[in-house]
Each structure stands twice: as structure tokens, then as C-alpha cells.
Amino acid sequence: MAKITYIEHDGTEHTIDVKPGLSVMEGAVKNNIPGIDADCGGACACATCHVYVDDAWREKTGTPSAMEESMLDFAEGVEPNSRLSCQIKVTDALDGLVVRLPESQH
Amino acid sequence: MSDPQARVVIVGAGHAGGTAAALLRQYGYAGPITLLGDEPIAPYQRPPLSKAWLKGEADAESLALKPVSFYAEHDIVLRLGVKAVAIDRTAKVVRLEGGEAVPYDILILATGARARRLALPGADLKGMLELRTAADAEALKAAIGAGKTLAIVGGGYIGLEAAASARALGAEAVVIEVLPRVLARVASEPLSSFFQDYHRARGVRFELGVGVAGFEGEAGHVTGVKLSDGRVIACDAALVGVGAVPNEEIARDAGLDCANGVVVDLEARTSDPAIFAIGDLTNRPMPLYGRAHRLESVPNALEQAKQAACAIVGRPAPAGEVPWFWSDQYDVKLQIAGVPFECDETLVRGDPAAGKFAVFHLKGNTVQAVEAVNAPPEFMMGKQLIAQRRAVAREKLADPTVSMKEVAA
């Protein structure tokens, strides 16, 4: 299990255990964490699972694919550490990961 | 919120119903919630059934909307394998098959839609399939191994996605469509041509512009689809994907306003203020287009689940959304935003032959809808243009060397 902390835009923190193999998005949705809608269920088609990856974790979460980058490019409130959480696969190496949720998905 | 202990009963444990229950708890609703489903499994996502799941790339656990433990942990009474057969609005109870009455103060109908069936000879043979539920998908998966032939009646999204998955699993696929092109009811001509070519190049056979007269069988199992011109397409199984009809009977019998779906307002409320309806079942207002429409999509189910949950807990109504849809076939990502109502022009941006293009549907100078093939910028920016009802310059839009950000500037 990897502990992941999701921080809502108002500062509310949720730390949960997510099974490796799931995506960071699935970890949030399956635990009913507000702020990640994930309309398309992980098909990289909607950009409603946008998160900001804590700087300490950017390297470990990898780089977005061309498709993801091009979706993010047009999402609201995009920052250099923006990712679509459906495209980040949880591994043991991500134990301790911290992501913040944008206000636009509130 | 009028009564914090009002009994909420949700009929239908699909994407819409399951989401409404979860959102009510997320929004802090503390009253009793009962979720009634007629399938034997907890709420799950249907879209992967014709895509990743069919190809073996997703399992039951990943399909589940929430883990099974979620419902008990959040004090949601989940009752599966029960069928609601009537609503008594005077007594405020839902009647189940078998006679049990479930009392409600607030009722949410989320009964969805069902696959349309063909009343043709042989339609009840074994090996005749439809694709709506996980059980349907199991049966389809079992029927499309290598060397098998799957006949698909109906060239809509279900049919095309199933054809792509069948090919990925090594089965032959023949798509039979009564209209002259696939996706005729739901997509523009350039998109139809693109998908026909793409599927043909991957071994799918098409029979277009020809009807189906019936199904032939041996020992009770389907062996062929009989076409209206007399030919027979031999097959090991036949999937019928010819649209869906709303499960509105219990609502109509209870006297709720229905018109190709249960009529609701922007709070997802029906003509009875104590009853909401959400998802594929509803005929809903579309403020962007000044009309009502029945949408069959996950984003619509989620939006209406939000509307109902907000209305029930007394939150402000959520912001309106642009309807959108997606489809995955092979490595093609199709994203559609908006609905092309009352359009006077269709404009293609990019080159379909290059496998990357978008079809914009315009009414005057405003974008009503966009169909984007492997073109996320066109989809994302198109969606914003639809929401803003802003005039666009056609020459810029038609020129792929002008970026979408410049088009919208």
C-alpha cells in the first residue's frame, strides 16, 4: 500500500492507503474524496482529475504523455506541476505522495 | 434542506444512482439512504465494458464505482437484485417485485435505459447478444475468441467499439447498418468515413445500407444474420446494438411527466417535487441550446447526480456543463463536445487522412458542437467556445496552422 495525501483547495487533507496498480485518481474516487470528478473514468479524455503534484514528488511521478500534456494545456488553472491524476499509476515508490486539488474542480 | 432525516431512496444502482448516493454523503447528508439495484453487483462503470474490459485490460474491481465496503462504511443501504415495479406517490412507497413496499420521503429515479431489441424471427436464439450490463459483456467476451465471427447489427458506438475489441482478440467482425454510413444518427459524415476506413484497414467488414430480416440458427443457436436482400452473414454470435430506450415505465405509470424520458428541471426534479430523476432516463433542459433533450452519457449522469444531491442538501446548484462524450477504438481517441442542434455549417479542421482532425458544427458564427479525433486542443477549446457562446472567425478555425488558443483569443 502507498499512503497518498490529497489536499482540497480549502486545505482539508485526506490521507489514504492506495493499492499499487490503481491510479492516483482511482484512489481518490474510490474513497469519495471531493475535488476529483474523473468524468471519463481514467480514459485521459476529460481533464476533471487535474491535480498539482507536490514539488518533492514531481520526479517520481514521471512526465505526462503527449496526450495528457495536450489536455492539460487547456485545463483551468494549469501550473508546471499540473498532472491528470488518472495518468499517475500508484507504486510502492509513491508511498507518501502529496497532491493538491484545484479550486476549479471544487 | 427541509428535513435532515428525510428517507432518500434511489431506484437504480448504476453510474447515476451510485454517484448520487456517494455525493449525498460527501455533501454531509446524514439521513437514511437506500440504493436499490436490479443487477446483482454494486454500482460500476459501463463505458469500459465495450472497450478496456472486453479486451481484458480492466477487471471487475477497477470497474466498480466504489469498493464494496464503501456502502456499509457510509451507512448506505445497498440492496442488489431487487426490482422496483411501481411507485405509489400517495403512500410515498416504492413497490418491489414480490410485494415489499419501501417508504421514501425523497425518491431519486436512476433506472437508466435498456438496449433496444429487434422483433425479428430468430431474435431469441442463443448467441444473440446485447451490451448494456456486466453480464452482457461476459457473454460477449466468451463469444469473441480467435477464429470466431461476430456479426454486429447496428453501426453505432457500441457496435464499433465491440468490433474494435473483437479484432483485438482475433475474432472476425461484420458490422451491418441499415443506413448508408456508420454513426449516421450520432456523428457527422467526415467522422463516419474516417471510422469506416479505420475499421476496414483493421479487418472489419461492413454491410451498409442493408436491413436485417431475421436470424438463422441450428439447434437453437444463431448461425447467421439474414439480410433484407436475401444474403446470409454467417456468424458464431450476433450483437445487436441499435440504440437504447429509457426505463421510464414506472415513472409514467405513476403519472410523472414523460416525453422520451422523464421530464426534469435543472435540479433534476420531476413533475412531483418529492421525486428526482437522473441519468439516461431523463429528458432534461439544455440551457446552452434553449431546448430539452435526452442524453445517454456518463458526464450527464454525473451532472444530474450533482444537481439532485445539491438540491436535496440545500447547496447552490452546480454550474451548467457542456454535454460531452468519448469513444476509444483501437488507438483512436474520439472526444465530442456539445450537440449539433440547428447548425448551418460543418467545418473540418486538420486532415482526416492524417488521423488527427476535428469537425466543428456552427450556427452562424458560434460553435454548437465539435467532434475531435486525436485532437485534444480542439476538444478542450471547442468545449469552452460552446460554453461561452462566443463568435469565432471561421477562416482561423479552418486553418490548423492557427493554434486553438489564437482562434479563441
Side-chain angles (χ1 to χ4, degrees), chain A residues 19 22 25-26 28-48 66-76 105-106, chain B residues 15 22-23 25-26 45 61-67 70 74 298-299 302 306 315 321 324 326 328 333 335 374-381 383-384 404-405:
Chain A
K19 205 168 104 180
L22 293 180
M25 175 279 283
E26 288 175 300
V29 169
K30 289 183 193 283
N31 288 285
N32 214 23
I33 289 173
I36 293 194
D37 287 348
D39 284 9
C40 75
C44 196
C46 68
T48 61
M67 178 65 82
E68 181 186 342
E69 204 143 60
S70 127
M71 291 292 294
L72 274 172
D73 203 21
F74 293 87
E76 225 175 291
Q105 277 159 210
H106 172 57
Chain B
H15 219 129
L23 281 178
R25 288 294 183 240
Q26 200 181 93
Q45 311 174 63
E61 192 186 343
S62 71
L63 286 195
L65 223 50
K66 305 286 179 196
F70 172 86
H74 291 81
V298 168
L302 300 183
K306 241 181 237 181
R315 278 196 172 204
E321 290 173 25
W324 76 277
W326 84 95
D328 290 324
K333 181 166 294 297
Q335 296 162 294
N374 297 324
E378 279 71 12
F379 168 72
M380 292 291 282
M381 200 46 103
K383 202 168 166 218
Q384 290 173 30
M404 282 307 293
K405 284 188 178 165

Side-chain angles (χ1 to χ4, degrees), chain B residues 31-48:
Chain B
I33 301 176
T34 301
L35 182 55
L36 306 171
D38 60 355
E39 287 180 68
I41 43 178
Y44 60 94
Q45 311 174 63
R46 294 186 202 280

Side-chain angles (χ1 to χ4, degrees), chain A residues 10 12 48 82:
Chain A
D10 66 1
T12 312
T48 61
S82 286

